[in-house]
């Protein structure tokens, strides 16, 4: 069985979000394959600088100074300041899976994904004299379908602590009793997933990687290339950036360069199943069916216990109007975890396409019940009203 006929690529879009799978970088990492950048037809554009990504505006710093005078800056007071950031999707911040913004715009527009929110929280805490440490949260592989592409999403959070000696240039080890974990995903907060510290450079690469993925979705390939190059310059060992660059090469029929980039992505992270799956797709395109099937069979076996994998397969089947297969995949996801709203929504819209409005209404109700964010609950409630109104009109005729 094949994964799908759609490309998968990693994004730090968190709809549950950020990153790619766990990093397991070996000590003997080969040198980057810089030959693939020669004779490129892409036009490079300027992108946000690292300083711009994390910078607070003068107005933001003034507000912080007023609310937190220098003699009152400690972890407890910072906790109060950052509490409003945790209300993502509710009264304060509109949690949006696709919005990757610099800190200043996140604060101004009050909507962003978890990567952007974490960047804002880091910059605010740093300005107040706290020590921030980004952490990758090792959640199961999670995909969302956007414009025919399966986006692999990941997640990060931020640990904030108060330095014991602000003058010393030392690395602070976190004591959970004396640190604040800022996490913008309620699922992650409720589960005890493993975390790994990651650098500010890695976060910068993830920011660029997300922006590149968004541009690629909109077929703005020069812009996407510019962001992927910036991501690689920020952190040459970020596997997700190399994997997404390979997707860009593949879309532009640069198959040799795509294969080199996929293999380098996998050499950086042996758990980058996204790069491996896309390599299999490239093998199919270039007539190497046996090699492709070997990879796909291995990945399929590995992912069978992951409900989000079945949701992804269901979304792909729905996208190509294979509704019976879509139902089978969504039901498989539900059997593995009956509290994932994505599978119920998948069932609802599939039953709707089949004309079974009763089942569609029932599954939408369950999607609303198990949704984590208020904006998702409201979205499902709106669909329930629309479906109810439509069926009422049909029954009256």
């Amino acid at each position: 069985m094949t994964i799908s006929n759609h490309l998968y690529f990693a994004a730090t879009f968190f709809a549950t979000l950020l990153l790619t799978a766990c990093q397991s970088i070996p000590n003997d990492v080969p040198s980057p394959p810089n030959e693939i950048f020669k004779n490129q037809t892409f036009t490079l554009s300027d992108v946000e600088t690292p300083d711009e990504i994390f910078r607070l505006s003068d107005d933001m710093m003034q507000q912080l100074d007023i609310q937190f005078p220098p003699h009152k800056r400690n972890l407890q007071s910072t906790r109060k300041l950052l509490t409003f950031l945790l209300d993502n999707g509710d009264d304060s911040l509109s949690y949006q899976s696709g919005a990757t913004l610099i800190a200043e715009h996140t604060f101004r527009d009050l909507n962003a994904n978890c990567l952007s929110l974490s960047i804002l929280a880091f910059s605010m805490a740093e300005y107040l004299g706290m020590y921030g440490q980004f952490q990758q949260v090792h959640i199961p592989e999670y995909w969302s379908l956007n414009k025919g592409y399966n986006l692999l999403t990941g997640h990060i959070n931020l640990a904030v602590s108060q330095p014991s000696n602000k003058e010393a240039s030392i690395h602070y080890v976190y004591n959970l009793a004396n640190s604040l974990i800022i996490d913008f995903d309620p699922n992650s907060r409720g589960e005890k997933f493993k975390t790994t510290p990651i650098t500010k450079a890695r976060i910068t690469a993830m920011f660029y990687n997300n922006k590149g993925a968004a541009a690629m979705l909109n077929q703005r390939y020069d812009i996407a290339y510019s962001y992927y190059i910036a991501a690689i310059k920020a952190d040459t060992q970020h596997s997700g950036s190399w994997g997404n660059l390979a997707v860009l090469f593949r879309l532009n029929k640069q198959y040799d360069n795509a294969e080199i980039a996929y293999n380098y992505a996998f050499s950086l992270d042996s758990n980058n199943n996204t790069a491996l799956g896309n390599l299999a797709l490239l093998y199919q395109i270039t007539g190497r069916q046996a090699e492709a099937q070997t990879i796909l069979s291995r990945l399929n076996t590995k992912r069978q216990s992951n409900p989000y994998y079945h949701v992804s397969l269901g979304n792909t089947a729905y996208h190509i109007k294979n509704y019976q297969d879509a139902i089978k995949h969504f039901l498989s996801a539900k059997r593995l975890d009956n509290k994932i709203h994505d599978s119920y929504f998948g069932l609802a819209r599939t039953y709707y396409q089949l004309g079974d409005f009763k089942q569609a209404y029932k599954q939408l109700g369950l999607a609303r019940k198990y949704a984590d964010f208020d904006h998702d609950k409201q979205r499902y409630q709106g669909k329930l009203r629309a479906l109810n109104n439509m069926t009422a009109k049909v029954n009256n005729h």
Side-chain angles (χ1 to χ4, degrees):
M1 134 182 222
T2 59
I3 293 180
S4 79
N5 61 350
H6 295 287
L7 292 171
Y8 288 75
F9 61 95
T12 310
F13 296 153
F14 302 100
T16 325
L17 275 206
L18 178 212
L19 315 177
T20 52
C22 327
Q23 298 292 316
S24 56
I25 300 174
N27 293 324
D28 54 344
V29 175
S31 299
N34 293 323
E35 68 273 14
I36 64 178
F37 303 121
K38 297 178 181 178
N39 303 316
Q40 283 299 330
T41 59
F42 297 107
T43 301
L44 283 173
S45 301
D46 292 334
V47 300
E48 299 91 336
T49 66
D51 180 65
E52 288 171 333
I53 293 171
F54 289 88
R55 181 191 303 155
L56 300 180
S57 68
D58 291 340
D59 180 63
M60 294 165 65
M61 290 187 287
Q62 184 178 22
Q63 290 185 50
L64 292 174
D65 288 337
I66 292 172
Q67 188 166 358
F68 295 95
H71 63 283
K72 291 185 178 180
R73 295 179 180 179
N74 53 49
L75 187 62
Q76 187 57 40
S77 62
T78 304
R79 185 188 305 270
K80 296 176 183 177
L81 172 67
L82 297 176
T83 295
F84 85 96
L85 291 173
L86 298 176
D87 295 329
N88 53 79
D90 298 327
D91 297 332
S92 299
L93 292 175
S94 178
Y95 185 91
Q96 297 186 359
S97 62
T100 303
L101 306 174
I102 62 175
E104 182 177 352
H105 293 169
T106 300
F107 187 82
R108 182 193 68 194
D109 298 342
L110 295 183
N111 64 75
N113 60 27
C114 112
L115 177 64
S116 303
L117 294 171
S118 297
I119 287 172
L120 172 61
F122 174 89
S123 295
M124 292 171 69
E126 185 177 60
Y127 182 78
L128 294 176
M130 300 297 105
Y131 182 84
Q133 173 65 62
F134 291 107
Q135 300 183 131
Q136 181 170 341
V137 182
H138 299 303
I139 63 174
E141 288 182 297
Y142 177 89
W143 297 269
S144 60
L145 191 66
N146 191 329
K147 298 184 179 180
Y149 294 93
N150 281 295
L151 303 180
L152 174 66
T153 64
H155 189 54
I156 63 166
N157 64 25
L158 178 70
V160 178
S161 68
Q162 183 174 356
S164 56
N165 185 347
K166 295 182 180 180
E167 302 302 323
S169 298
I170 61 174
H171 179 74
Y172 296 98
V173 178
Y174 283 101
N175 179 333
L176 289 179
N178 297 315
S179 65
L180 170 65
I181 303 298
I182 302 171
D183 197 309
F184 297 99
D185 178 11
N187 292 318
S188 178
R189 292 199 298 270
E191 299 282 348
K192 298 299 181 182
F193 293 117
K194 177 184 175 182
T195 60
T196 302
I198 51 178
T199 64
K200 189 176 179 181
R202 175 60 52 89
I203 292 294
T204 303
M206 289 173 173
F207 176 93
Y208 291 137
N209 191 51
N210 269 20
K211 301 284 280 192
M216 191 160 63
L217 277 175
N218 292 303
Q219 299 182 7
R220 300 173 65 198
Y221 296 141
D222 288 338
I223 300 297
Y225 183 75
S226 300
Y227 275 114
Y228 292 148
I229 293 301
I232 289 168
K233 286 182 178 179
D235 184 348
T236 59
Q237 294 187 344
H238 182 221
S239 178
S241 300
W242 287 98
N244 282 359
L245 177 64
V247 173
L248 180 65
F249 285 146
R250 175 260 181 263
L251 290 172
N252 287 271
K253 296 183 169 45
Q254 297 187 30
Y255 298 139
D256 290 342
N257 284 343
E259 185 168 348
I260 291 170
Y262 282 138
N263 281 316
Y264 189 69
F266 191 67
S267 73
L268 293 175
D269 179 7
S270 60
N271 292 315
N272 190 339
N273 295 329
T274 302
L276 193 59
N278 281 333
L279 178 61
L281 178 58
L282 184 64
Y283 284 158
Q284 289 177 328
I285 293 170
T286 53
R288 289 172 281 178
Q289 301 299 330
E291 294 172 82
Q293 195 56 47
T294 298
I295 293 175
L296 292 173
S297 296
R298 192 173 93 195
L299 287 177
N300 181 60
T301 300
K302 185 176 182 179
R303 288 166 163 166
Q304 281 301 315
S305 62
N306 182 356
Y308 294 104
Y309 173 56
H310 295 280
V311 170
S312 172
L313 293 178
N315 286 333
T316 298
Y318 175 87
H319 185 75
I320 61 175
K321 300 183 179 180
N322 192 342
Y323 298 129
Q324 294 302 329
D325 275 0
I327 289 174
K328 290 178 183 177
H329 290 306
F330 291 132
L331 288 175
S332 294
K334 191 174 75 168
R335 282 192 292 269
L336 288 167
D337 188 337
N338 63 1
K339 294 184 179 180
I340 297 176
H341 69 94
D342 308 73
S343 56
Y344 293 110
F345 177 62
L347 285 169
R349 63 178 185 166
T350 306
Y351 283 126
Y352 176 83
Q353 294 294 338
L354 294 172
D356 190 341
F357 300 139
K358 182 178 180 180
Q359 271 293 337
Y361 192 88
K362 176 183 177 182
Q363 300 302 326
L364 264 179
L366 290 169
R368 182 188 182 282
K369 175 181 178 181
Y370 291 113
D372 299 302
F373 295 109
D374 278 357
H375 73 267
D376 279 328
K377 290 182 181 293
Q378 293 167 9
R379 178 166 60 95
Y380 291 141
Q381 185 60 44
K383 293 180 181 294
L384 284 166
R385 283 195 298 267
L387 183 57
N388 189 52
N389 292 337
M390 186 194 72
T391 55
K393 290 178 181 178
V394 171
N395 293 332
N396 288 334
H397 284 82

